[in-house]
Amino acid sequence: MKELEPIAHFYMNGFDDLPALKEKDLWNKSKFTEIRKDFVNAHSELIRLIESTISNLKNNLTDSFDYQLSKVEFLEKVKSGKTTFENIDLENLDLSNKNLSGLTFKNCFISADFRGSDLTNTKFIKSNIKTSDFRNSNLTNALMENVAFESTRFKGAKTDGFIFNDNYCYSLENVGQTDFNDWVIKTE
């Protein structure tokens, strides 16, 4: 996590590792000692803040390992505010008539029933979607990009602003928006 790198350097090596503090001969040593005293006294609070931030990033933004989620586990994560799912399996799940708007699925394997679900602004990126059912779902402003899909149904789905780009279906590559509008959406 690049944005936490400066904090991690300080956390591991202290003040001496921060680039702006390497030129010690230019420091006002008495002022520095005064400032450092307060900072050192707050060290345990800094550790708690860093650990809390890292924990929140891990729990709420993305998963960094492969695993299969049950329907209950998945819906609990959604309810708790998780919006990005990466490298997970959602196999044989009934997610029909659920509000799943605004989620992102990246590098996932999905075999699910999404009939009647709200998938507004949902993104499916570099995923594998097999034997899934999107009939009568709301895919308004959703995205499917670099997705391999087979035996997946879309008939009756609401697709205003839906982007279907550079996907794969059986042996066909670069299945895009025109293909979706011409034949994919008609699949029953």
Side-chain angles (χ1 to χ4, degrees):
M1 296 180 201
K2 285 282 189 206
E3 60 273 6
L4 296 178
E5 197 170 305
I7 295 172
H9 279 286
F10 169 76
Y11 186 63
M12 300 297 288
N13 304 316
F15 280 102
D16 294 339
D17 196 46
L18 294 175
L21 298 177
K22 288 188 185 250
E23 298 180 24
K24 291 181 182 178
D25 55 320
L26 300 177
W27 295 359
N28 176 336
K29 291 190 183 0
S30 62
K31 183 74 173 168
F32 175 73
T33 302
E34 182 184 322
I35 293 169
R36 184 175 181 168
K37 180 181 167 189
D38 292 336
F39 197 74
V40 168
N41 290 340
H43 184 73
S44 60
E45 179 64 15
L46 175 65
I47 291 170
R48 189 195 65 72
L49 261 169
I50 291 169
E51 288 174 349
S52 172
T53 301
I54 290 171
S55 178
N56 285 339
L57 284 171
K58 285 181 181 176
N59 291 333
N60 292 326
L61 296 179
T62 187
D63 293 306
S64 58
F65 48 89
D66 293 307
Y67 63 96
Q68 185 169 354
L69 288 177
S70 70
K71 177 181 177 178
V72 171
E73 291 168 325
F74 173 70
L75 293 175
E76 282 177 5
K77 287 183 178 282
V78 171
K79 186 177 180 183
S80 73
K82 185 169 184 67
T83 59
T84 300
F85 296 88
E86 191 168 352
N87 300 319
I88 62 164
D89 290 345
L90 296 176
E91 276 191 79
N92 303 316
L93 297 186
D94 181 357
L95 299 172
S96 59
N97 300 307
K98 302 289 183 220
N99 182 354
L100 304 173
S101 63
L103 300 181
T104 297
F105 298 95
K106 188 173 181 183
N107 298 316
C108 295
F109 178 84
I110 300 170
S111 172
D113 182 353
F114 293 105
R115 283 180 293 172
S117 289
D118 183 359
L119 297 164
T120 304
N121 298 312
T122 296
K123 295 179 178 90
F124 299 89
I125 302 167
K126 294 183 181 177
S127 292
N128 194 335
I129 301 176
K130 306 286 189 208
T131 62
S132 291
D133 197 339
F134 291 91
R135 289 179 295 170
N136 301 311
S137 65
N138 186 350
L139 290 167
T140 300
N141 297 321
L143 168 72
M144 282 191 185
E145 188 168 69
N146 293 316
V147 169
F149 68 98
E150 292 178 10
S151 302
T152 298
R153 304 171 185 188
F154 292 92
K155 191 165 187 172
K158 184 175 180 183
T159 58
D160 299 330
F162 177 59
I163 299 171
F164 195 81
N165 186 38
D166 202 22
N167 297 303
Y168 309 89
C169 181
Y170 299 103
S171 62
L172 297 175
E173 295 181 4
N174 300 316
V175 179
Q177 194 71 51
T178 302
D179 300 304
F180 182 83
N181 295 336
D182 287 350
W183 60 272
V184 175
I185 195 166
K186 296 174 186 171
T187 55
E188 294 186 44

